[in-house]
Each structure stands twice: as structure tokens, then as C-alpha cells.
Amino acid sequence: MNKAEFIAELKDRLAVLTDEERQDILDEYEQHIDIKVMRGMSEDAAITDFGRIEELAADILEAYHVRADYAVAEKGKKNRGAGFGGRFGRRGFSESEGANAETADDGTCEAEEGFAYGATGWLDRAYESTWNGLKNICHGTWNLCRKIGRGICCGVDKTGKLLGTAACSLIALCRKPFHKENVSAAEEYETEPVRQESNGRRRERKNAMKAEAHFSLGRAIAGFFRACADAALWCLRWMWNLFCIGTGLLFGFGSCMVVFFMGVLVVLLVLGYPLAGVTIGWLGLTMCMVSVTIWCFSMMIGGRKRRAAQVSGTDGSSATAVICEAENAGILERTEEEEEEMIHA
Amino acid sequence: MNAQFKKGVLELIVLESVRVRDMYGYELVEEVSKVVDVNEGTIYPLLKRMTNEHYFETYLRESTEGPPRKYYHITAAGILYRDNLEKEWNEFSGKVNSFLEEQKRGAL
């Protein structure tokens, strides 16, 4: 047998492998023969040193975790055996490696063929059904998680809105007596002189002073509580923002470190180290860290822009809450003169 | 030598040879043949399997005698695997040797 015949025969026996894999191994044998020929050996002698070509092909297929009997059945097909048959042919061989290797050495693989094909067909179907089942389970779980997530988000959103409205209504209720008191005092201040103008200027002046004192006290108490509420809200907002910034910076630094190590892992992976699993895990960690960082910064409570957007985009039901918030922030804060004008009006 | 013995130690010999220096296929076959009398054809599948398992990585180097040759280089995983194999081999051969010694003493 010459080199060309040997290569053609081997190529035929390795048909189950991909073109790339097959060419790779054939190049090695071709080069081996060439070197031997270069050193004075004949082609035939060089090929004889490889032993029986059936055993050689079986050894090569074993290296790719392909069963020799499966390769015989698949001879002529270019693809690598779609479905579980191909996969099992590759993986399953290593499990029964000892027994099969021995039979391959003796050249008695044929005895196992019938059982092997039957088992492969059954396993192929089992694999397909298991795969489909797993796919359905994953799909169902994903949909369920999405629904639960949406439900939770919706619930939190609604609860937040409800609580916000309730709080603002409560604040408005607390303020109401002061406003009423002011208005009634002002009315008294306005109407009293008209009613009692004829009773003399002395009494009028006395009543006016009394009303003014009452009005100022109410305003002062209301202003004090309003200032306290504003200060408390401001403090809370800044504490929250500082917490978000701190956490965001911490996770941002962590993200940078994780991204750096991710790069190192990718380089090592490209160099051929078996780090695929670690790299995928690390990629997940990187994405988590970056997401948490972005989330932290997005959780900061905005300033005037956000409130302005809320004011412009509110409907009737939440108008009270927004106006309360806007008042707390000082957007709709009225000056004393304006308030007096409103009371007069 | 028993074919099963050869098969068992072949991986260790190949790993150790490539650990000392990078080698191409034919060179490696010659190196292994110095230790065990093995069929030349069986080394290439072994190299291929160990490359697939990431114990070796390959690269091409120009040759003055012909086309570029594919050299095998041992990876960190390969070194670890080789160390494990050596340890197992030492334990195994030590136990077998001691057993044989004991049997000889008993017979005497």
C-alpha cells in the first residue's frame, strides 16, 4: 500500500469526523510517512509500522470519543451525526471504553452492532423527549418568573402611589385648620370694622389687633411645622441619595475589578487554558455587579426635573399628592403678600 | 511487554516527554519508542485526545526539511494531570512491588 492509498483508506474510515478534524489527523500521518521516506524507508514499510488500518482508525475515533461501529454505520455521511446518536456515540464510548477497546483490538466489534444500533435509536428518542421536556420546563419557569416580577413591580408601584397620596392628604388635613383659622381671622378682620364702624374707633382698633395677633400665631405654627416637614424630607432625601452614591461607588469599584479579572480570564481562555466554565461564571458576576451599580445610581431621588415632570404629567386622582410634594419642595410656595391677596379675594 | 501495561503508562510517558520540551509528532513517537515498544500509529490518536482534553496545545513551526511541523506544548492542566498520573503510578507500582516481595518471602 502506498501513501495515497493509505491516506484515502484512512480518510474513508474517518468519514464520521468533520473535514477539519479529519484533515488534521491525516496531515500528521502524511508528515510521519514523509519523514520516514526522507530518512530512507520505503512508503510501504512506513505504513506497515502503523499496524492494521482498522485498529488505527478505531484508535483515532476513540480519541474523538466516537465508537468505531457507529463510524462504520455512518460512513459516507459528512455530518457529525445530529441528535443524541452522534452525541452518545462520542460520549458513551469512553464509558464502555475498556470492553470496546478490547474487542476492537481483537477485531470482534461486529458482535455488539445489533444491540448498539437498537440502543442508539431508543436513546435518541429518549434524548429528544427529555430535551423537549427540559425546554418546556425552562420556558414555563421563565414565563412564571416574568409574571411574578411584573406583579411585584405593579404592586410596589401601586402601594407607593397609595401611600404617597395618603401621606399628602394627611399633611393637607393637618394644615387645613391653620388655613381655615387664618381665613376666618382675616374675614373677621375684614368684616368686623364694617359691622361695628359706628361703635367707635377704639373698639375697632382693639378687635383688629386681637385678630392680627391670632392670625400671626396660626401662621407661625403652620410655618414652623411646614419648615420641619421640609427639613425632614430634605434630610431623608439626601441621606438616601448619599447611601445610593456610596453603594454605587462601592459596586462601581467592584465592577472595575471584576471587569479587569474578566479580561485576564478571557486572555487565559484564548491561550487555551480550560477556563471556559470559570469565565462564564465570572461573566455572570460582572453583569450582576454592573447592574447593581447602575441600579444604585438610578435609585437616587431626582431634583426639580423629576417633580416638574410629575406636575406636568399628573392626572386628577394624584393631583393632590403632586401639589403637596411641590409645595414641600417650595415650587408652589406662596409669599405672604400673595396669601393675603388670596384671602382678601 | 503486556499491551495493557503499555496503554496505562503511555500517557505518562508522553506527558513527561512534552513537559521537558515541545515536540512534534514524529519526534515524540521516537522518544516514546525508546521507553516502550509501541505501535507508531497509536501515538497520534493519544496526542489528539489529550489535545482535545486541553492537556496539550499545538502550534506550527517552520521546518528546514519540509512543510511546517505541528509542535505540542503541555498546558498547566497537562502538568497537573501528569503529576497526578505520576503519583498514582508510584503508589500502584510500589504496592505491586511490595506485594510481590512479600509473596517471595512467604514462599521462601
Side-chain angles (χ1 to χ4, degrees), chain A residues 259-276:
Chain A
V259 167
F260 171 74
F261 283 111
M262 180 74 205
V264 173
L265 277 175
V266 168
V267 169
L268 287 175
L269 189 68
V270 169
L271 285 175
Y273 289 92
L275 292 168

Side-chain angles (χ1 to χ4, degrees), chain A residues 14 16-26 64 80 90, chain B residues 48 52:
Chain A
L14 302 178
V16 73
L17 301 179
T18 60
D19 291 343
E20 193 185 343
E21 286 170 344
R22 202 170 46 201
Q23 197 54 49
D24 187 42
I25 195 80
L26 289 176
Y64 286 97
R80 291 171 61 168
R90 280 165 176 260
Chain B
K48 200 56 58 188
N52 289 343

Side-chain angles (χ1 to χ4, degrees), chain B residues 10-23:
Chain B
L10 203 56
E11 277 191 0
L12 181 58
I13 295 167
V14 168
L15 281 163
E16 177 59 17
S17 304
V18 179
R19 188 186 68 81
V20 174
R21 67 185 173 90
D22 294 357
M23 287 184 181

Side-chain angles (χ1 to χ4, degrees), chain A residues 62-85:
Chain A
E62 184 191 338
Y64 286 97
H65 301 284
V66 179
R67 287 161 47 151
D69 51 354
Y70 177 78
V72 171
E74 291 292 303
K75 196 194 281 185
K77 288 184 184 175
K78 287 284 177 185
N79 61 5
R80 291 171 61 168
F84 189 66

